[in-house]
Amino acid sequence: MIRALVPGSFDPPTKGHLDVVERCAGIFDDVVVAVVVNPAKEALFSADERVELLEACCVAWENVSVDMFSGLLVDFAADNGVDVIVKGLRAMTDFDYEIQMSQMNRHLSGIVTLFVATKPEYGYLSSSLVRQVRSLGGSVDELVPQPVATALKEKFSR
Ligand code: PNS
């Protein structure tokens, strides 16, 4: 059995993220989507809210579970019997950052990171742009899963 880990901030989850998770669900026996808890970084959605949103978005895939972690990703991976880390890649700018992290993680524990190329139509999509556009009144409904669109509406109507 091969267990894959898809880690991230997911603040909020986008259709780009879900595309990566969906493809992992079709390739690996078991997929853990893990939200990083970083108290030093101000987030729009709390870690609990992000886990709830991801659970709602992933409900159709029986081999996908959602969790959260703090501390080192490689420690979470070891504690949870993870075989491989999977990250989505949009452009070369992602590559520079992601290759560095994957090599550090490999140095720390020997774990393998695989990269999934993002669907071209989501190549420009990021959680930070979704937050910015939505906070300024723009529509992001086509870019995020339905539960996230609803949560963003509630968040910005307060
Ligand atoms: O959504 P992101 O910002 O691409 O996710 C980044 C994440 C959560 C994968 C990365 O920040 C991470 O692994 N954080 C945990 C702390 C850690 O292990 N740092 C060393 C990584 S080389």
Side-chain angles (χ1 to χ4, degrees), residues 7-11 17 34-36 38 41 69-75 85 87 97-98 100-105 108 127:
S9 306
F10 303 111
D11 187 34
H17 293 130
V35 173
V36 67
N38 183 355
K41 196 172 161 189
F69 74 101
S70 55
L72 283 177
L73 181 63
V74 292
D75 289 341
I85 295 169
K87 297 285 316 253
Y97 173 63
E98 295 292 346
Q100 209 179 349
M101 283 204 295
S102 72
Q103 288 170 341
M104 176 58 87
N105 286 331
L108 292 170
S127 296

Side-chain angles (χ1 to χ4, degrees), residues 39-152:
K41 196 172 161 189
E42 202 179 320
L44 178 62
F45 291 97
S46 70
D48 285 328
E49 287 174 323
R50 285 176 271 158
V51 167
E52 271 178 38
L53 286 173
L54 282 163
E55 281 173 345
C57 297
C58 297
V59 75
W61 305 309
E62 284 181 4
N63 59 340
V64 176
S65 60
V66 184
D67 206 343
M68 65 172 86
F69 74 101
S70 55
L72 283 177
L73 181 63
V74 292
D75 289 341
F76 176 84
D79 291 346
N80 289 276
V82 166
D83 301 291
V84 58
I85 295 169
V86 179
K87 297 285 316 253
L89 270 190
R90 289 165 298 191
M92 285 308 284
T93 41
D94 278 348
F95 182 79
D96 285 345
Y97 173 63
E98 295 292 346
I99 194 85
Q100 209 179 349
M101 283 204 295
S102 72
Q103 288 170 341
M104 176 58 87
N105 286 331
R106 182 183 169 148
H107 165 77
L108 292 170
S109 77
I111 196 160
V112 170
T113 300
L114 295 180
F115 297 109
V116 172
T118 303
K119 255 189 185 174
E121 59 260 46
Y122 302 139
Y124 62 93
L125 183 54
S126 68
S127 296
S128 58
L129 274 183
V130 164
R131 291 195 304 272
Q132 185 186 100
V133 169
R134 189 62 187 82
S135 71
L136 297 171
S139 172
V140 293
D141 288 358
E142 289 175 21
L143 306 176
V144 296
Q146 187 55 50
V148 176
T150 304
L152 283 167

